[in-house]
Every structure is written in structure tokens, then in C-alpha cells.
């Protein structure tokens, strides 16, 4: 399998001044860990119709900036991919890796090195897992979440907050569609259809905001707001012990290396 030479990370942001700083600080640590393995690692923040301090925060972090006025995450991710592929125009697409996360999420220090390990083993797509910030959830929500998730086991659910792709696989599939939500699921399905090797892993899970109202009507916030509560009601899941355990697991305030859960999606 073709070795990766460079990494670009795309982070769409729409008025994320409260969480963007932590996101970029975590990405800086992940980039630092990955730099000895490749010739360059760069981060692009796509400011999508931002009216808050997001641009100021991104500039202070020293990352690349792209501006769009779409209020559309699919268009924002596509703009970030376009900018990074242009910047790495001298890198063959098969040797360029694109990390994808969200502005309300924090990655672990080994996030990129873990994706590189899987890419070197033959992956074109790495489908990572996410965990909510349990401090944002009720005890019932925490218990319901832990009742349906096993640490170290990849569930194969696609999340834009934890997705890595080889640029050649993304381009072959046509890139991100201009969708207001589920643009990540749509892309992975098209990459599968074009023969990309997809691997699911829980070895570098990403913490994402536990907010119940996000930037779109659906997405992870809706899952936490409606589906998880419904699950808790159906199963009778409850318990302060589960909530306390979940909150103690809230990361990446510390680096966590779950046992390898990699496997074909």
C-alpha cells in the first residue's frame, strides 16, 4: 500500500467560539505527534458564516483559514478539502491523508498516528468512534449510552468528527456533497461503492460535545436529545454510578488508548 507523505485536517466551524480553542489545541498535539512520520501536517479551519470570535481563535492557533458563507457543513468540508489538496498539489492523492473532525470535538494525541498505522496496513478510510462529553448529559443518558457501547469495540457508525480518508479515495468518490447533514455518511457510502477499503476502529476515539441542540436539526445532538432519551425510557436505564463512571471517562483531558478494535466496516 502506498505510504502517506502528508496530512491535512479539515475542521468546519459555524460560530464555535466556545469550543474551537480546545479543538485546535488537541489537534496541535496530534499533529506534533504525527510530524516525525510524514513530511508535513497542516490544519484548515473552514469558517462558515461565522459572526463570533471563531476567526480570531483560529488565527491565534496558527492554522490555515478558509471562509465560506454557506451554512452548510457539506459545502464547508468540500471547501476545506479543496484548499488542502491545492496546498499539497505536489503530493500524489494516494499519498495524501485527510483527517476530518468537528469544531466541537477534541481528538486524542495519537489520533493521526493511529490513522496512519491503519493507512499503512491498507485502509483508504478510517471510521472512528465518538463519545459525548458525559458532563453534558443526565444520569439516564449516560447509563443508556454505556448500555449500548462497548469500549474498544468499533461500531462502524460514521461520524464526521472522527473520520480519516485517503485523498485518492475521496476524489474518486466525488468528494463531499453539499448536504446540510449526513454528508459524512453519504461520502463513506460512495467510497465503499468505488472500492475503497474501509476500516472501523475505536483505538483513537474522539470526544464530541454533549450538547443536545447542534448546528443542524439532526446529527449527533438530535441523537442525544431524542434517540438516547427514548432508549433510556425503553430500557429503564438509570443510575448515578453509570453517570459517574462516564464522566470520569470524559476525554481527551487525558490520553486513552483503548484495546485495538480495528476491523473491516
Amino acid at each position: 500500500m502506498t505510504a502517506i507523505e502528508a496530512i491535512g485536517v479539515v475542521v468546519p466551524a459555524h460560530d464555535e467560539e466556545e469550543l474551537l480553542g480546545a479543538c485546535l489545541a488537541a489537534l496541535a498535539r496530534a499533529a506534533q505527534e504525527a510530524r516525525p512520520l510524514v513530511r508535513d501536517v497542516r490544519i484548515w479551519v473552514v469558517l462558515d458564516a461565522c459572526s463570533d470570535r471563531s476567526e480570531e481563535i483560529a488565527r491565534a492557533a496558527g492554522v490555515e483559514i478558509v471562509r465560506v458563507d454557506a451554512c452548510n457543513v457539506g459545502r464547508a468540508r468540500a471547501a476545506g478539502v479543496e484548499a488542502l489538496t491545492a496546498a499539497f498539489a505536489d503530493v500524489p492523492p494516494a499519498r495524501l491523508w485527510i483527517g476530518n473532525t468537528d469544531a466541537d470535538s477534541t481528538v486524542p494525541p495519537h489520533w493521526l498516528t493511529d490513522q496512519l498505522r491503519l493507512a499503512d496496513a491498507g485502509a483508504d478510510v478510517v471510521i472512528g468512534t465518538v463519545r459525548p462529553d458525559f458532563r453534558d448529559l443526565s444520569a439516564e443518558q449516560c447509563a443508556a449510552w454505556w448500555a449500548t457501547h462497548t469500549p474498544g469495540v468499533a461500531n462502524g457508525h460514521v461520524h464526521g468528527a472522527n473520520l480519516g480518508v485517503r485523498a485518492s479515495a475521496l476524489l474518486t468518490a466525488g468528494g463531499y456533497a453539499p448536504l446540510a447533514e449526513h454528508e459524512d455518511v453519504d461520502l463513506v457510502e460512495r467510497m465503499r461503492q468505488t472500492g475503497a477499503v474501509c476500516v472501523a476502529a475505536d483505538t483513537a476515539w474522539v470526544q464530541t460535545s454533549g450538547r443536545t441542540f447542534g448546528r443542524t436539526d439532526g446529527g449527533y445532538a438530535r441523537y442525544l436529545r431524542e434517540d438516547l432519551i427514548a432508549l433510556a425510557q425503553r430500557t429503564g436505564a438509570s443510575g448515578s454510578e453509570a453517570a459517574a463512571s462516564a464522566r470520569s471517562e470524559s476525554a481527551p483531558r487525558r490520553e486513552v488508548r483503548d484495546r485495538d478494535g480495528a476491523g473491516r466496516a
Side-chain angles (χ1 to χ4, degrees):
M1 177 55 63
T2 305
I4 300 299
E5 292 184 8
I7 302 172
V9 179
V10 175
V11 186
H14 173 61
D15 288 346
E16 290 285 5
E17 64 180 6
E18 293 184 5
L19 300 172
L20 182 58
C23 168
L24 296 180
L27 282 173
R29 291 191 292 270
Q32 182 177 14
E33 187 165 313
R35 282 196 174 97
L37 305 177
V38 293
R39 82 180 208 197
D40 197 7
V41 182
R42 296 167 67 178
I43 300 164
W44 276 263
V45 171
V46 184
L47 300 165
D48 186 3
C50 290
S51 59
D52 65 352
R53 296 179 52 252
S54 292
E55 180 166 351
E56 177 184 339
I57 293 166
R59 288 194 177 280
V63 298
E64 309 287 343
I65 291 174
V66 177
R67 298 182 194 82
V68 296
D69 190 19
C71 291
N72 181 289
V73 67
R75 293 186 185 277
R77 291 197 198 276
V81 169
E82 181 180 5
L84 80 84
T85 52
F88 288 123
D90 60 332
V91 180
R95 295 181 178 273
L96 176 60
W97 191 257
I98 302 174
N100 301 267
T101 191
D102 290 335
D104 69 336
S105 303
T106 46
V107 307
H110 63 292
W111 184 59
L112 292 174
T113 56
D114 195 68
Q115 291 187 6
L116 285 177
R117 175 182 63 83
L118 294 171
D120 287 344
D124 296 311
V125 183
V126 175
I127 303 168
T129 58
V130 302
R131 296 184 189 180
D133 187 336
F134 296 105
R135 296 170 300 179
D136 295 336
L137 305 185
S138 68
E140 290 74 19
Q141 287 173 306
C142 289
W145 194 93
W146 284 104
T148 56
H149 295 78
T150 303
V153 177
N155 55 32
H157 297 165
V158 177
H159 300 281
N162 192 358
L163 182 66
V165 301
R166 198 179 296 271
S168 54
L170 182 146
L171 295 172
T172 298
Y176 281 105
L179 300 176
E181 56 188 36
H182 308 310
E183 79 295 337
D184 43 7
V185 176
D186 171 77
L187 175 64
V188 171
E189 180 57 31
R190 285 185 283 112
M191 287 192 290
R192 282 195 177 107
Q193 292 173 359
T194 56
V197 177
C198 299
V199 174
D202 191 50
T203 45
W205 55 269
V206 168
Q207 177 175 280
T208 193
S209 168
R211 62 190 178 194
T212 52
F213 290 91
R215 296 299 183 259
T216 68
D217 291 335
Y220 200 63
R222 181 178 179 180
Y223 163 74
L224 294 175
R225 182 178 72 248
E226 299 180 5
D227 298 343
L228 194 58
I229 290 175
L231 174 62
Q233 292 172 341
R234 289 198 306 272
T235 62
S238 62
S240 58
E241 290 185 6
S245 175
R247 290 188 176 106
S248 72
E249 287 284 342
S250 188
R253 273 63 180 183
R254 59 182 177 83
E255 181 176 357
V256 177
R257 294 182 184 270
D258 288 326
R259 64 183 179 274
D260 194 344
R264 290 293 173 88

